[in-house]
Amino acid sequence: STDRNQINSSRSAGLPVKAIKDVCFWLRGSSNESVTSVTQLDRRPVLVLKSCVIYNFYACIKGGVDASLYCEGNSFLDFFECAISLINPIICHIEQGIFERTVGNTVQIRFLKRVAEVDVERKVVIKKVDMTSSCRNGISISAETKHHQPINLAISIRGNQITGHHDNAIF
């Protein structure tokens, strides 16, 4: 059913139907294990992309728990799921980029509940980015915490142009 919805969304967005679910960059953080020491954070994946053009993948970047992403001056075009999907990132910094034609959310960041987590400051910065033509949300940031635990999180979204999304610009 989900695959059928994605096929219909791809067709309505004017994109060809993609059969292979390929991912351009996969930051293999832990699936959902707890970080219990600062030294464990030193071994988390980091991706730095600068001035790249990436297009026609199922998804561009998927990041596991505690990955970090730095993107500057990139163009991301024609994705069949989220262009960027991160779970509990330490840092997500996206600046001066172009995102066009995604079937899912353009940028999706989820903060999931954790059992014994080190109090790590997490940052999300999205600035001077042009996002157009998504079948879902432009930017989607959600949090789920155990027993209403606070998350040490700073979010800065400024100077962006977000247009042509079927749901919301920012959700």
Side-chain angles (χ1 to χ4, degrees):
S1 172
T2 302
D3 286 339
R4 183 170 293 151
N5 290 339
Q6 286 179 326
I7 289 169
N8 291 335
S9 294
S10 294
R11 287 186 179 138
S12 70
L15 299 173
V17 176
K18 187 133 177 100
I20 299 173
K21 295 184 178 182
D22 52 354
V23 177
C24 188
F25 295 99
W26 193 295
L27 305 175
R28 300 295 298 241
S30 56
S31 58
N32 198 13
E33 71 182 31
S34 297
V35 175
T36 55
S37 71
V38 175
T39 56
Q40 283 181 295
L41 292 174
D42 294 336
R43 296 188 300 245
R44 298 298 176 189
V46 175
L47 176 64
V48 178
L49 285 177
K50 190 168 183 175
S51 302
C52 297
V53 176
I54 302 169
Y55 61 94
N56 201 25
F57 282 88
Y58 186 76
C60 183
I61 300 167
K62 286 193 172 201
V65 172
D66 296 328
S68 291
L69 173 66
Y70 301 88
C71 288
E72 184 179 342
N74 299 293
S75 294
F76 302 96
L77 313 165
D78 301 329
F79 293 99
F80 300 87
E81 194 185 51
C82 299
I84 296 175
S85 178
L86 303 173
I87 299 173
N88 291 15
I90 301 293
I91 295 174
C92 174
H93 186 103
I94 303 169
E95 186 172 346
Q96 295 179 334
I98 297 171
F99 292 85
E100 292 182 4
R101 298 179 301 275
T102 57
V103 174
N105 296 319
T106 302
V107 176
Q108 176 175 294
I109 301 171
R110 295 183 306 151
F111 292 95
L112 305 178
K113 58 186 170 187
R114 307 281 294 278
V115 179
E117 184 176 78
V118 173
D119 186 28
V120 175
E121 182 180 358
R122 297 174 186 279
K123 293 181 184 177
V124 175
V125 176
I126 302 173
K127 65 181 181 180
K128 298 179 183 174
V129 174
D130 183 6
M131 296 182 186
T132 59
S133 301
S134 169
C135 290
R136 300 279 319 274
N137 300 300
I139 300 169
S140 175
I141 300 175
S142 61
E144 165 189 319
T145 60
K146 186 176 182 176
H147 305 295
H148 304 289
Q149 265 180 307
I151 298 174
N152 189 358
L153 172 63
I155 299 175
S156 175
I157 300 172
R158 60 183 196 271
N160 301 293
Q161 182 175 338
I162 305 172
T163 58
H165 298 280
H166 288 206
D167 292 341
N168 301 294
I170 301 173
F171 180 74

